[in-house]
Amino acid sequence: MVGRLVAATLISASVAAGAFAQSVSFVEPADGAVVSSPFKVKFAVSGMDVKPAGEIVAKSGHHHLLINAEPVKAGESVPFDATHLHFGKGQTETDVTLPPGAYTLTMQFANGAHQSYGPEMSKTIKVTVK
């Protein structure tokens, strides 16, 4: 009986740890980087799989790059416009062309229907294009 209780506790702990392990990050550029246009942006995700848009599959989705825009609330669709770039083919990197200036870049992970996983699955950095 004690063995089953320990096993159940370990399983519960690993499931809970897995839920907290989901995150997104920028591989490049680094926060605060000064870049020349065009510049490479590389995305990473932990605890979820990158899959193309279309089908909604649990623990999966694709990246979006928001330029000078706030993270999208959980469950809301990521807009389709010039400041919300979609990577619905499952891309994990891109070249971005922006005029000189200071920018806030936010990576937003969303499901196969472009519905955001919320601020918890976003990451924001600042870059300066020279």
Side-chain angles (χ1 to χ4, degrees):
M1 183 67 161
V2 172
R4 287 185 188 169
L5 181 58
V6 169
T9 302
L10 289 174
I11 290 169
S12 295
S14 68
V15 169
F20 292 110
Q22 296 174 340
S23 65
V24 293
S25 60
F26 284 93
V27 175
E28 66 178 82
D31 188 23
V34 177
V35 297
S36 297
S37 195
F39 59 97
K40 174 95 44 205
V41 176
K42 291 185 179 181
F43 311 114
V45 63
S46 296
M48 296 186 92
D49 295 321
V50 175
K51 300 232 185 255
E55 187 178 348
I56 297 178
V57 177
K59 293 189 178 186
S60 73
H62 61 279
H63 297 286
H64 299 81
L65 182 63
L66 289 51
I67 301 169
N68 293 338
E70 297 292 318
V72 178
K73 292 179 184 172
E76 290 185 7
S77 293
V78 177
F80 281 89
D81 60 31
T83 61
H84 295 80
L85 308 180
H86 290 246
F87 299 96
K89 293 180 182 177
Q91 307 96 307
T92 58
E93 63 181 65
T94 190
D95 289 322
V96 176
T97 302
L98 292 171
Y103 293 91
T104 299
L105 303 179
T106 299
M107 179 191 337
Q108 179 70 67
F109 207 66
N111 68 18
H114 305 280
Q115 295 166 326
S116 172
Y117 284 114
E120 299 78 19
M121 286 300 288
S122 71
K123 176 70 176 180
T124 299
I125 63 171
K126 295 189 180 294
V127 299
T128 300
V129 178
K130 58 181 177 177

